[in-house]
Amino acid sequence: METPPVNPVGEKDPSQLQRQWEKYPQKNLDSTTQIGQQPQEPPIEVLELKVSPDPASQILENPQGTDKLAAGLEEDADKSHRSASEMPEPLQASDLWHCPDGSFVKKIIIRGHGLDKPKLGSRCRVLAFGFPFGSGLPEGWTELTMGLGPWREETWGEIIEKCLESMCQGEEAELQLSGHSGPPVRLTLASFTQGQDSWELEASEKESLARQERARGTELFRAGNPEGAARCYGRALRLLLTLPPPGSPERTVLHANLAACQLLLGQPHLAAQSCDRVLEREPGHLKALYRRGVAQAALGNLEKATADLKRVLAVDPKNRAAQEELGKVIFQGKKQDAGLAQGLRKMFG
């Protein structure tokens, strides 16, 4: 059988085209149509692609393929469903709770139910795991009463109480302390009894609880635990803050005692603020004047420190502590002046 001559791609010989047209009119009609549709571009290399058979045509030829394909689709769907269900749910912003004072972050593992939360006096059934040794909190199940008990006196006790105040019944959470490199601890609130908010208490009840906190704080301070004492004094002050004006005179003593704790804890800025609260109510309070003088000296405010200490000595000239502290402040001031004079001589000498 004779085959038509083939022109190289891009060759345009009119005589050859004419002869081919005459010999193979129908076939060259198709070729001419294709050539007429081909854009006028430089020759390109044509790659031959192997196309797999159409699955639909295979199914039409073999009806059993329909069942196989359907089974395959169902299996893929099951796999996709399983993989989606196995993926952990993304952590929502609402699953994290940051304590307002920045002491810890709570991550909710299992959400609780209801809207009520433990309040003052609530007896909480708690499951605790992962607390460091010596924290004072037992591992496993325990019962804690909000606002009462020695368990609140340590650092972890205060954190647990703040966390419980934010939890609902049945909630399970992990706690990560600020600056704590260890693994998070886990806390579950199984149940709790009804309590009261501090504002729901009668004035006499608040004052009674505040006196208990103050007494316990004084015991801890004398035992060499200023941190625990400061927590007790702080809780007592929070109870008394909700009393109507003029408030309880107990607040003056509490602020003065809190300032003493803050000085021992290396917090002179907070100590100065606590003394300010005392002196706003009693301008001649000698302990507050002395402690504010010590705090100002620690902050480098020597003039303010000197003024406060001299006020103490003006009322109590034999106050040994004020005399010694004033002597330190004067010596420190002379040392600063000498250093400043030496620096000026180097600069202008």
Side-chain angles (χ1 to χ4, degrees), residues 59 63-78:
I59 293 173
Q64 296 178 353
T66 307
D67 299 334
K68 293 182 179 180
L69 179 60
L73 291 174
E74 292 175 0
E75 184 179 355
D76 292 341
D78 291 341

Side-chain angles (χ1 to χ4, degrees), residues 213-223 229 232-233 257:
E213 292 285 3
R214 175 190 169 186
R216 182 57 181 162
T218 302
E219 290 178 8
L220 293 172
F221 186 85
R222 290 173 178 170
C232 290
Y233 295 142
N257 292 353

Side-chain angles (χ1 to χ4, degrees), residues 51-83:
V51 182
S52 58
D54 184 6
S57 63
Q58 291 182 345
I59 293 173
L60 292 176
E61 295 173 0
N62 183 10
Q64 296 178 353
T66 307
D67 299 334
K68 293 182 179 180
L69 179 60
L73 291 174
E74 292 175 0
E75 184 179 355
D76 292 341
D78 291 341
K79 289 180 180 179
S80 176
H81 178 71
R82 286 196 301 269
S83 61

Side-chain angles (χ1 to χ4, degrees), residues 93-294:
S94 58
D95 294 330
L96 295 177
W97 184 77
H98 296 258
C99 186
D101 63 4
S103 57
F104 67 92
V105 177
K106 180 186 77 170
K107 183 175 75 170
I108 299 175
I109 306 301
I110 298 176
R111 291 188 175 277
H113 49 84
L115 299 176
D116 292 336
K117 297 176 182 179
K119 300 176 183 179
L120 183 65
S122 294
R123 292 192 302 275
C124 303
R125 180 71 172 163
V126 176
L127 178 63
F129 282 111
F131 288 93
F133 180 76
S135 63
L137 293 172
E139 290 281 302
W141 289 104
T142 186
E143 188 171 290
L144 305 174
T145 302
M146 301 290 289
L148 299 173
W151 66 275
R152 305 157 61 238
E153 295 166 5
E154 300 298 330
T155 303
W156 278 97
E158 184 180 25
I159 290 172
I160 295 307
E161 187 169 41
K162 291 176 182 177
C163 182
L164 289 174
E165 290 174 349
S166 71
M167 298 177 75
C168 298
Q169 184 169 328
E171 181 177 320
E172 182 177 345
E174 285 184 350
L175 307 183
Q176 185 64 61
L177 265 68
S178 177
H180 180 67
S181 58
V185 300
R186 183 161 293 203
L187 193 69
T188 302
L189 176 59
S191 62
F192 62 91
T193 61
Q194 279 297 114
Q196 289 180 298
D197 283 316
S198 59
W199 57 267
E200 296 177 307
L201 300 174
E202 298 292 337
S204 58
E205 294 177 305
K206 295 177 183 179
E207 291 176 342
S208 176
L209 288 172
R211 284 193 294 269
Q212 294 177 29
E213 292 285 3
R214 175 190 169 186
R216 182 57 181 162
T218 302
E219 290 178 8
L220 293 172
F221 186 85
R222 290 173 178 170
N225 185 0
E227 188 174 4
R231 281 193 284 272
C232 290
Y233 295 142
R235 287 193 290 263
L237 283 167
R238 286 193 292 273
L239 285 166
L240 298 178
L241 282 175
T242 57
L243 291 178
S248 171
E250 192 85 4
R251 290 171 56 185
T252 302
V253 180
L254 288 169
H255 276 299
N257 292 353
L258 182 59
C261 297
Q262 290 164 336
L263 285 174
L264 291 176
L265 293 171
Q267 302 168 342
H269 181 69
L270 296 178
Q273 290 180 347
S274 296
C275 292
D276 288 341
R277 302 291 181 272
V278 177
L279 296 170
E280 287 172 1
R281 299 172 69 94
E282 293 186 26
H285 197 288
L286 292 184
K287 288 184 178 180
L289 283 170
Y290 168 75
R291 290 166 186 166
R292 190 173 70 174
V294 174

